[in-house]
């Protein structure tokens, strides 16, 4: 079985090449201590939000049909740390918010964090290919490794892995299911077209 290490180049530069679009969002390390979580309703179904109490660590879409999801036993239920997250997601789904402004602390490898930061440079209503992101990260042959990291993005919607598409423009895999990816892209494109009209 291939692992991420199998396809990741070993001589990664310390810093990615500057993407030509937008400034990448800054991530911070998750704080030590308990993981807090809550669930909220959305057009995609019930979303599970989790984090360290100060920064968001994940937005999990409902699992694909036939797959169950349970949160770890040591997670603590508390909606309070996610008030602002819920407000911004509600505004996003209503077409009123194009850019999220939240402290983010996803947990991942150095490569995953680089890819996830690159995702935040893809503007609202636009898409990018895996190869394009690999080139912007200074590793033009690493499109497969980009795809693997993209698929493990824990902060869906806010770190927009749904904006990454296949080289031929096809909607490739999405952890939340292709119908949810299609919904998110459709929402953003319709709002972008309304703004231009």
């Amino acid at each position: 079985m291939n692992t991420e290490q199998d396809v990741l180049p070993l001589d990664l530069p310390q810093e990615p090449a500057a993407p030509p679009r937008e400034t990448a969002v800054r991530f911070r390390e998750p704080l030590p201590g308990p993981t807090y979580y809550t669930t909220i309703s959305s057009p995609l179904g019930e979303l599970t939000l989790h984090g360290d109490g100060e920064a968001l660590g994940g937005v999990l879409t409902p699992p694909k049909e036939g797959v169950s999801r349970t949160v770890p036993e040591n997670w603590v239920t508390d909606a309070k740390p996610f008030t602002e997250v819920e407000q911004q997601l509600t505004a996003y789904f209503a077409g009123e918010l194009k850019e999220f402004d939240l402290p983010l602390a996803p947990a991942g490898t150095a490569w995953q964090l680089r890819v996830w930061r690159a995702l935040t440079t893809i503007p609202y209503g636009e898409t990018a290919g895996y190869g394009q992101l690999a080139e912007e990260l200074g590793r033009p042959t690493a499109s497969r490794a980009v795809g693997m990291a993209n698929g493990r993005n824990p902060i869906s919607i806010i770190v927009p892995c749904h904006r990454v598409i296949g080289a031929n423009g096809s909607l490739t895999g999405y952890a939340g299911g292709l119908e949810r990816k299609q919904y998110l892209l459709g929402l953003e494109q319709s709002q972008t077209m309304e703004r231009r009209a």
Side-chain angles (χ1 to χ4, degrees):
M1 185 175 85
N2 286 330
T3 65
E4 188 173 29
Q5 221 166 7
D6 293 330
V7 295
L8 184 64
L10 297 177
D11 59 336
L12 291 173
Q14 290 301 310
E15 289 296 322
R21 293 183 295 262
E22 313 238 341
T23 303
V25 168
R26 294 278 177 201
F27 297 147
R28 71 159 177 74
E29 292 279 327
L31 296 175
T35 297
Y36 300 94
Y37 82 98
T38 192
T39 58
I40 63 169
S41 297
S42 84
L44 301 182
E46 185 178 80
L47 302 177
T48 301
L49 314 178
H50 66 85
D52 60 16
E54 293 183 16
L56 184 65
V59 176
L60 307 177
T61 56
K64 293 177 184 175
E65 194 173 333
V67 179
S68 61
R69 172 179 291 137
T70 55
V71 299
E73 287 182 14
N74 61 341
W75 284 15
V76 178
T77 307
D78 188 353
K80 228 184 320 184
F82 305 101
T83 303
E84 182 63 25
V85 179
E86 183 173 6
Q87 288 174 353
Q88 290 194 29
L89 281 168
T90 299
Y92 168 83
F93 284 119
E96 299 164 359
L97 183 126
K98 311 297 185 280
E99 289 182 27
F100 293 94
D101 184 15
L102 297 163
L104 304 178
T109 66
W111 170 251
Q112 288 171 339
L113 291 168
R114 285 178 57 192
V115 172
W116 300 340
R117 283 188 70 230
L119 297 178
T120 69
T121 70
I122 307 171
Y124 183 97
E126 297 183 24
T127 57
Y130 297 103
Q132 182 181 352
L133 287 173
E135 283 186 24
E136 290 172 8
L137 288 164
R139 307 308 305 174
T141 61
S143 58
R144 187 171 170 210
V146 167
M148 292 177 70
N150 187 64
R152 293 182 181 146
N153 168 36
I155 310 181
S156 62
I157 306 165
I158 293 169
V159 175
C161 52
H162 61 276
R163 295 179 190 158
V164 183
I165 60 174
N168 62 356
S170 62
L171 298 187
T172 52
Y174 184 62
L178 287 182
E179 69 286 347
R180 292 190 176 105
K181 180 171 186 165
Q182 195 164 23
Y183 175 88
L184 293 170
L185 291 174
L187 168 70
E188 294 182 3
Q189 287 166 1
S190 66
Q191 292 301 317
T192 303
M193 286 191 296
E194 277 183 27
R195 252 187 328 190
R196 291 174 184 160

